[in-house]
Amino acid sequence: MEEMTSAQDEALKSKVREYWNAHPCGTQFTGVEWGSKEFFDDVAKFRFKTQPFMAKLVGFRDFARKRLLEVGCGLGTDLLEFAKGGALVTGVDLTPQSIELVKKRFGMEGLPVDARVSDAEHLPFEDDTFDVVYSFGVLHHTPNTQQAIDEVYRVLKPGGKIVIMLYHKNSLHVWLGVPLYSFWKIVKSKGSALMRPTVLEDWVRVYDGGENPLGKAYSRSEAERMFSRFRNRSYAFCDSYRRRFPAFVNAVNQKLFAPWCGFWMIIKGEK
């Protein structure tokens, strides 16, 4: 995306806050009352049924007695798993609705949490505060992703670890989806979208809903530059199981494609 002025940045961030406050991630997968035990159970069940690799991939049980920050904690589904693994957890989210639900969820479990409304680009913590910073599918939704990454570095202790997921540009989801989406846009607009330069950005954006105001994807080489201050960087790629695809299609994708061209890029590293 092109560089924006500070005023444009804040205006876009306001739209991002408004969208995710009205549509906390995970609420689309259940029809029951928000905040009920059944609601939280439904969200977690869907999360780990369609992403069964999560525990091994991100290490929910690997950070006992460590101070862990999740940037963009949403409904607290992952944060709760880290807490059950013994981590001392803090969660921040741009939206008040999510933070309210996180506090309710942890209250039901009888587990402590420090949950705050906060901007990923301006974290409200001192330098060198956390042993671990985790963020899954969030930093590509803030206007200045690099500033958010720099904030992660700032609040991480020397030797601390990151586990961060960003959308992956060089992925099957993009390679197949962008041409098809372009064709659909051209047909819909009767040709006026033919030269539109933002089809990739649009396709990534609508992954989280047609009204989602912002979504970005990055290549591994771009991530290398963005995370260059971190040592011992490693990358893994994966995909969620897609509900609209038959089981055999999901199985083929998980086996053959997701590990190298999945839409989710996991970056790990140390300060």
Side-chain angles (χ1 to χ4, degrees), residues 19-174:
Y19 176 79
W20 289 107
N21 198 59
H23 310 89
C25 190
T27 56
Q28 69 269 41
F29 303 126
T30 178
V32 301
E33 179 188 357
W34 289 14
S36 65
K37 186 177 186 307
E38 185 183 2
F39 164 79
F40 290 117
D41 289 346
D42 276 1
V43 170
K45 181 180 179 181
F46 180 87
R47 170 75 157 158
F48 301 120
K49 180 180 180 181
T50 59
Q51 297 130 49
F53 44 75
M54 285 294 294
K56 182 179 179 181
L57 189 63
V58 307
F60 289 136
R61 300 297 183 263
D62 294 347
F63 305 113
R65 297 178 296 281
K66 301 292 185 182
R67 290 198 66 186
L68 182 144
L69 169 67
E70 181 174 4
V71 180
C73 58
L75 301 176
T77 306
D78 290 0
L79 195 63
L80 182 64
E81 293 302 311
F82 284 115
K84 289 178 178 178
L88 310 173
V89 298
T90 298
V92 297
D93 200 276
L94 189 61
T95 66
Q97 179 72 267
S98 288
I99 292 302
E100 181 181 333
L101 289 166
V102 168
K103 290 178 178 178
K104 190 166 189 178
R105 177 60 165 148
F106 274 75
M108 288 178 178
E109 296 289 335
L111 289 170
V113 64
D114 178 2
R116 313 183 191 186
V117 176
S118 176
D119 178 352
E121 297 177 18
H122 304 93
L123 294 173
F125 306 106
E126 298 293 327
D127 297 356
D128 307 334
T129 297
F130 296 97
D131 300 294
V132 185
V133 178
Y134 173 76
S135 184
F136 201 92
V138 173
L139 301 188
H140 47 234
H141 292 302
T142 197
N144 193 333
T145 298
Q146 184 63 63
Q147 184 172 326
I149 293 168
D150 292 343
E151 278 291 272
V152 168
Y153 187 89
R154 181 184 66 79
V155 303
L156 194 63
K157 293 178 181 178
K161 299 179 183 298
I162 58 165
V163 181
I164 293 176
M165 186 276 272
L166 299 177
Y167 290 155
H168 184 210
K169 187 183 294 182
N170 295 327
S171 60
L172 202 62
H173 178 77
V174 170

Side-chain angles (χ1 to χ4, degrees), residues 177-191:
V178 167
L180 292 172
Y181 186 64
S182 299
F183 178 75
W184 177 79
K185 297 285 281 187
I186 291 166
V187 170
K188 186 178 179 183
S189 65
K190 297 182 180 179

Side-chain angles (χ1 to χ4, degrees), residues 28-30 46 49-50 240-247 250:
Q28 69 269 41
F29 303 126
T30 178
F46 180 87
K49 180 180 180 181
T50 59
S240 177
Y241 287 76
R242 308 298 177 96
R243 290 177 294 169
R244 63 184 180 274
F245 292 164
N250 275 302

Side-chain angles (χ1 to χ4, degrees), residues 172 175 237 239 248-262:
L172 202 62
W175 293 336
F237 303 93
D239 260 332
F248 80 91
V249 173
N250 275 302
V252 170
N253 182 47
Q254 292 298 320
K255 181 73 173 177
L256 299 181
F257 300 110
W260 64 278
C261 60

